[in-house]
Amino acid sequence: GVLFESPALQIGIKSEYRQNLGRIGVFFGNKSSGPLQNFVSTVHCPGELATQLVVQTKPTASTVDIGAQVQQLVNAECAQNFTEPPLLDIRYTANGVQEQLTLLLPVHITRFFESTQMSSSDFFTRWKALSNP
């Protein structure tokens, strides 16, 4: 889906998760009348998040041509529970004007959850155990 849109730039996200691993494709589309130059996109995990969520990114092209779209792959590994999402920092020059923005990358702990199969009796046994410490 679309994460951000301005007159010059559209940012979209596509992701998939398995167990403690996630792969996020971040798409940058140039909507301006000129190329996006000096384009840099980085993902960082501030504070404790750096040890809770391990993120690796592949660099993007430094120029995004008119009407073009580039993709940045982000690999995320959930090492511990976390509450805050990583930050996506973007810098570029469009039509001679330097732009900078910071967005929350939609990576949340619930993305790493997996369903489990169990009988109704096992479920209710576990459910009742939650209320009896």
Side-chain angles (χ1 to χ4, degrees):
V2 176
L3 178 65
F4 173 85
E5 190 163 10
S6 73
L9 179 67
Q10 182 180 55
I11 302 172
I13 300 287
K14 184 177 179 183
S15 60
E16 64 178 327
Y17 295 84
R18 284 199 183 95
Q19 297 176 350
N20 67 324
L21 302 175
R23 175 173 288 182
I24 303 100
V26 184
F27 299 89
F28 302 97
N30 182 354
K31 296 174 47 183
S32 74
S33 59
L36 302 180
Q37 298 175 320
N38 305 315
F39 190 89
V40 177
S41 170
T42 58
V43 176
H44 70 275
C45 298
E48 289 183 358
L49 185 60
T51 60
Q52 299 164 340
L53 185 68
V54 179
V55 174
Q56 295 177 331
T57 59
K58 301 211 179 210
T60 59
S62 62
T63 300
V64 183
D65 291 326
I66 301 169
Q69 185 181 75
V70 297
Q71 178 183 8
Q72 182 175 36
L73 288 176
V74 179
N75 291 314
E77 180 181 358
C78 180
Q80 298 175 24
N81 290 343
F82 62 94
T83 57
E84 299 297 323
L87 301 176
L88 176 64
D89 290 321
I90 301 137
R91 292 188 327 261
Y92 61 92
T93 302
N95 300 319
V97 178
Q98 187 169 356
E99 301 284 343
Q100 182 173 342
L101 58 126
T102 299
L103 304 171
L104 298 175
L105 192 62
V107 176
H108 303 280
I109 189 71
T110 55
R111 299 292 210 141
F112 298 95
F113 291 175
E114 286 193 338
S115 62
T116 184
Q117 298 291 324
M118 68 179 71
S119 68
S120 59
S121 63
D122 288 343
F123 171 80
F124 286 111
T125 300
R126 288 184 180 196
W127 182 260
K128 289 176 186 175
L130 292 174
S131 62
N132 297 326

